[in-house]
Amino acid sequence: MRPHLTVAALALLSCASPQPSAVPSSTVRTIDDDIALIEAHAPVEILKSPGGGRVVVSAAWQGRVMTSAVEPHGTSLGFVHRAFIDKAQTGTPFDNFGGEDRFWLGPEGGQYGLYFPPGAAFAMSVWQVPHAMQEGDWEVGARDTSHIMFTRTMHLVNWSGAQFDVRVERDIRMLSVDDVQARFGEPPPTGCKWVAFETYNRITNAGTRAWTRETGLLSIWVLGMYAPSPDAHVIAPFDPAGTGPIVHDDYFGKVPPERLVVHEKEGWLSFVADGEHRSKIGLPPGRARDSIGSWSPGSSLLTLVRTALPAAAPNGYVNSLWAQQPDPYGGDVINSYNDGPTEPGKPSLGGFYEIETSSPAAALGPGESMQHVHATLHVVGPAASLDGLARKVLGVSLTAL
């Protein structure tokens, strides 16, 4: 049997002089471990890149990218919620199987929110991920060893009672070195192990009613879930000369200052990703860049996420705050969530952190479509090897951190 390798051990094999791992080996699993768990409950698809990267996808769990690895038997890099999967449940308030790229629709809360029954209070006790969004197999379309397409048509009702018929298409593709260069502006560092993939997410108004601002618009919302660690930080670049607030940090109460540090002049912020304190941040369109990432020095793991920002967003971005909103289209482009107890004395949703991107609000007539792209790159190696890539994408020196 192949021994379990920590992320830092992978770095030893791939880049010179990585930093030692801060993650106990007993808590780190290989991609083979997670594939075995998932296959015990649902079929999986495994996408492969010529460089050895692996991506695990599930049609039974809404076409999610469940996890990935930088080599065939390497460490599993996504958050796979083993405790929930072992219960074999569905139809819960949140079927949290995990997954480092899952499709949702926004907004979450507010008068046009999709995650609360019409007219209900914006409270955790009634929060419900729409059943059509999280239950049932998605149809598999075209596929080969490096890409797969899923489709699904769903019916949704927002808090104000407006109804939506939505056709969803998800095309998941492995990325090559040239693709990484094109998406992130820099190839993976020579000698380092890496894996990269991208999802194309398209929604189409499958009904007979136009979607209007007056009754609520939808957005494409892609969320990546990752295992936290004590030293992990999300790093988000922003435009220091932009307009409006730099960051919204009051989704679930104000984020404590020791957990969110804004470097206003330098144009980047850091947000603790330890899975211990429920909190969320968001960057609005007047400030957001097209990329965000996370860095764990103890695990020698740099994760980068990029979305394609549109030239214009005439209908703004949907607002997901759990409250009645004076500006329901004044929402954020890029978000990060850190899990923790939902209320004093209550458990967390599983213990993870998320990096999220959203499309603009979609004002679509019948038959019209909108697409949103979300690319993910994991690279394992010491800070010195990854510094150039981090500077290029995030504007931050890992060695300075």
Side-chain angles (χ1 to χ4, degrees):
M1 179 179 294
R2 182 183 179 89
H4 290 202
L5 299 178
T6 66
V7 175
L10 288 173
L12 278 167
L13 298 174
S14 56
C15 295
S17 302
Q19 301 177 28
S21 175
V23 182
S25 60
S26 62
T27 67
V28 179
R29 288 178 291 271
T30 68
I31 195 168
D32 296 334
D33 297 329
D34 282 339
I35 290 171
L37 171 74
I38 297 167
E39 284 184 326
H41 298 272
V44 299
E45 303 281 347
I46 302 173
L47 306 182
K48 304 176 181 179
S49 70
R54 296 290 187 267
V55 165
V56 179
V57 182
S58 168
W61 295 334
Q62 300 77 57
R64 301 183 199 206
V65 175
M66 292 299 297
T67 190
S68 62
V70 300
E71 61 182 1
H73 307 288
T75 298
S76 184
L77 299 177
F79 174 75
V80 175
H81 195 183
R82 303 175 74 86
F84 184 86
I85 291 172
D86 280 336
K87 292 178 181 178
Q89 292 181 327
T90 189
T92 69
F94 174 25
D95 287 356
N96 186 8
F97 304 107
E100 62 173 297
D101 184 310
R102 79 175 185 275
F103 175 92
W104 270 9
L105 290 166
E108 186 174 8
Q111 55 266 47
Y112 303 133
L114 300 171
Y115 297 70
F116 295 89
F122 299 112
M124 193 70 199
S125 59
V126 293
W127 178 71
Q128 173 67 59
V129 177
H131 294 285
M133 200 182 298
Q134 70 169 359
E135 297 167 32
D137 293 14
W138 285 35
E139 183 178 345
V140 178
R143 61 179 164 182
D144 58 31
T145 58
S146 63
H147 103 281
I148 188 168
M149 177 176 280
F150 298 100
T151 59
R152 173 83 165 191
T153 299
M154 56 186 70
H155 181 79
L156 304 166
V157 181
N158 71 14
W159 189 90
S160 295
Q163 301 188 38
F164 300 85
D165 292 295
V166 188
R167 177 172 173 78
V168 181
E169 298 169 90
R170 267 174 64 79
D171 193 359
I172 303 168
R173 295 181 176 271
M174 304 294 289
L175 297 183
S176 67
V177 172
D178 290 342
D179 293 331
V180 171
Q181 170 85 58
R183 305 306 189 272
F184 295 94
E186 188 92 2
T190 301
C192 289
K193 293 290 182 71
W194 58 276
V195 62
F197 61 92
E198 187 170 63
T199 62
Y200 293 79
N201 304 274
R202 178 183 293 271
I203 59 171
T204 300
N205 181 346
T208 59
R209 178 186 71 84
W211 302 347
T212 67
R213 292 172 62 92
E214 292 72 28
T215 56
L217 301 178
L218 307 182
S219 71
I220 302 167
W221 186 9
V222 178
L223 307 94
M225 305 176 77
Y226 307 101
S229 64
D231 67 350
H233 286 76
V234 168
I235 302 168
F238 60 83
D239 184 356
T243 59
I246 292 173
V247 59
H248 294 126
D249 67 342
D250 56 353
Y251 279 84
F252 302 111
K254 192 77 171 173
V255 180
E258 67 272 15
R259 290 183 160 270
L260 175 63
V261 179
V262 178
H263 300 267
E264 187 167 355
K265 292 182 179 180
E266 295 86 352
W268 61 276
L269 62 81
S270 64
F271 177 53
V272 174
D274 61 359
E276 297 292 335
H277 179 86
R278 190 171 192 242
S279 49
K280 184 172 180 176
I281 61 169
L283 280 72
R287 295 286 188 166
R289 303 289 196 183
D290 62 5
S291 300
I292 185 172
S294 65
W295 168 241
S296 171
S299 298
S300 302
L301 175 63
L302 176 66
T303 294
L304 299 172
V305 170
R306 182 186 177 273
T307 187
L309 294 180
N315 293 294
Y317 288 78
V318 301
N319 191 335
S320 282
L321 281 173
W322 290 20
Q324 289 281 350
Q325 301 160 358
D327 184 6
Y329 302 106
D332 295 320
V333 180
I334 287 180
N335 294 89
S336 179
Y337 171 80
N338 186 58
D339 198 27
T342 58
E343 298 173 5
K346 298 286 187 179
S348 70
L349 296 177
F352 54 88
Y353 74 94
E354 288 180 320
I355 291 175
E356 313 167 2
T357 68
S358 294
S359 76
L364 303 178
E368 294 181 338
S369 301
M370 173 180 281
Q371 179 172 286
H372 179 68
V373 183
H374 182 104
T376 302
L377 168 64
H378 298 293
V379 191
V380 176
S385 296
L386 304 180
D387 199 61
L389 179 61
R391 286 176 180 269
K392 179 70 174 181
V393 179
L394 303 175
V396 178
S397 170
L398 298 183
T399 55
L401 286 174

